[in-house]
Amino acid sequence: MGNNISQLESKISLQKVTSFEKTGTLETINISKLKENVIGYLFLSPSIILFTIFLFYPLAKSVYLSLFITDPRGKIAEFVGIQNYINLFTSDQFFTSLKVTVLFTLLTVPSSIVFALVLSLFTHNRLKGMRIFQFIFSLPIAISVGTASIIWMILFHPSAGMFNYFLNQLGFQSIFWLSDPKWALFSISLVTVWMNLGFNYIVLLSGLQGISEDLYESARIDGAGRFRILWNMTLPLLSPTIFFVSIVSIIGAFQAFGQIHIMTKGGPIDSTNVFVYSLYQEAFINFNFGSGSASAIVLFAIILSLTFIQFKITERKVHYQ
């Protein structure tokens, strides 16, 4: 009887020790997880603070202001609900600027990607002197929008510009590149393609350099020619990079502002008045911050929709290794 009691007491004490150890282990795991989470949020806190100040707060403020009429100082004068949005969608200016923006996007995005791809394919080899070409083709990314716009304005000058000089030498008449409504959007698009060339070129060249040389060697051993290697191997393997560049380029085209503001200010006759510049005029020239905020929210919705459509449709043709 005495032995049984002592065995029972030892079992109970063992269970208590085991339970205590388990509880202690769980507490240790919870504390270590808590520490990891705190450290993670500390590392993220600078980004969270910056996004809150420069992204989330302006977005929330724009949504708020879009429901009001404001005075020229930006102070709220009257609540109008969705009237700013109704005025925007029933105005001819909205559809005109949207049409110009779409045309500007079609002129700039495909051409800038194709030019950058051709140049990256041309310089993607280990021949002597290619580093110089890589530096030259990457140079536009190091030039600011203001500087590039001034340089191109000199080139486009109707009497002293280099383009008209060569046209005259060939027997053609001078073109008013920035003051003729037929040529203004094309001229701005040409500048934008050149400005985007550096970024697109660097990204696509990096993508090409990420493709293994062993794959090219195997294809050559199997008898594949250059065109077949390019079409059936290089472009599919480069498709994730092209997909990324296309998304960034379309977003950039819808946000283009600097070169238009410096070179044409939306003219002549609204031929270069893209959606962002129309928004700028409404908010900061006409001082209609309410309708300007409504335009900004609509622009955000358009870009978000286009990005979503690209991910849903175009990404199906992207080949991931």
Side-chain angles (χ1 to χ4, degrees):
M1 184 68 181
N3 292 333
N4 292 334
I5 292 171
S6 61
Q7 287 177 358
L8 183 61
E9 288 176 349
S10 63
K11 283 183 179 178
I12 292 172
S13 63
L14 182 61
Q15 288 177 352
K16 286 181 177 178
V17 169
T18 307
S19 174
F20 177 76
E21 288 178 348
K22 286 182 178 177
T23 306
T25 306
L26 288 173
E27 288 179 352
T28 305
I29 292 172
N30 290 332
I31 290 171
S32 64
K33 278 189 174 180
L34 182 63
K35 285 182 178 177
E36 287 179 1
N37 289 335
V38 169
I39 292 171
Y41 282 115
L42 282 176
F43 279 111
L44 287 174
S45 58
S47 299
I48 293 173
I49 292 170
L50 289 175
F51 276 123
T52 302
I53 295 173
F54 295 107
L55 185 64
F56 300 132
Y57 173 73
L59 179 62
K61 187 74 175 180
S62 296
V63 173
Y64 177 72
L65 286 176
S66 68
L67 304 176
F68 293 88
I69 291 177
T70 58
D71 62 19
R73 292 177 298 175
K75 293 186 177 180
I76 293 171
E78 182 185 356
F79 176 76
V80 293
I82 61 170
Q83 189 60 44
N84 285 327
Y85 294 94
I86 294 173
N87 295 338
L88 180 66
F89 286 115
T90 54
S91 67
D92 294 334
Q93 181 64 39
F94 169 73
F95 292 101
T96 302
S97 59
L98 193 62
K99 180 182 175 183
V100 173
T101 305
V102 171
L103 189 57
F104 175 74
T105 304
L106 292 175
L107 285 171
T108 57
V109 173
S111 52
S112 62
I113 294 175
V114 170
F115 282 137
L117 181 61
V118 170
L119 293 177
S120 59
L121 288 170
F122 174 69
T123 55
H124 175 56
N125 54 57
R126 301 186 186 282
L127 295 177
K128 192 175 181 180
M130 279 300 129
R131 291 282 184 186
I132 298 174
F133 288 103
Q134 291 176 1
F135 170 74
I136 293 171
F137 296 149
S138 306
L139 198 57
I141 198 174
I143 299 176
S144 67
V145 176
T147 306
S149 300
I150 296 298
I151 292 171
W152 280 87
M153 282 178 73
I154 296 172
L155 296 175
F156 284 138
H157 194 276
S159 58
M162 190 177 70
F163 292 146
N164 278 344
Y165 171 77
F166 286 117
L167 285 176
N168 294 333
Q169 292 298 314
L170 294 172
F172 295 100
Q173 292 184 345
S174 298
I175 295 174
F176 294 91
W177 298 94
L178 298 176
S179 56
D180 188 343
K182 295 179 182 177
W183 286 96
L185 187 62
F186 172 79
S187 304
I188 293 292
S189 301
L190 187 63
V191 177
T192 306
V193 169
W194 182 80
M195 288 167 55
N196 293 340
L197 190 62
F199 174 78
N200 291 348
Y201 170 75
I202 291 173
V203 173
L204 290 172
L205 183 64
S206 302
L208 283 173
Q209 291 175 345
I211 300 174
S212 174
E213 284 293 329
D214 295 337
L215 296 174
Y216 288 115
E217 192 63 30
S218 299
R220 292 190 195 99
I221 292 171
D222 291 339
R226 288 187 177 182
F227 179 77
R228 191 170 180 184
I229 289 174
L230 172 66
W231 189 256
N232 292 336
M233 197 176 75
T234 303
L235 292 181
L237 291 175
L238 196 63
S239 57
T241 310
I242 297 173
F243 178 63
F244 167 75
V245 168
S246 66
I247 287 179
V248 173
S249 299
I250 289 176
I251 292 174
F254 270 81
Q255 295 178 337
F257 175 78
Q259 64 272 37
I260 295 167
H261 181 59
I262 294 172
M263 300 177 76
T264 62
K265 298 190 182 302
I269 320 177
D270 288 339
S271 59
T272 61
N273 195 10
V274 294
F275 198 80
V276 169
Y277 198 77
S278 175
L279 184 161
Y280 165 78
Q281 287 179 317
E282 188 68 16
F284 299 103
I285 295 179
N286 301 328
F287 295 106
N288 294 324
F289 294 102
S291 56
S293 299
S295 300
I297 298 302
V298 171
L299 177 62
F300 169 74
I302 291 172
I303 294 175
L304 186 66
S305 303
L306 286 175
T307 307
F308 178 77
I309 291 170
Q310 280 185 286
F311 270 96
K312 280 293 179 184
I313 297 176
T314 313
E315 197 182 22
R316 294 175 186 172
K317 298 182 180 179
V318 174
H319 175 78
Y320 293 103
Q321 287 183 327

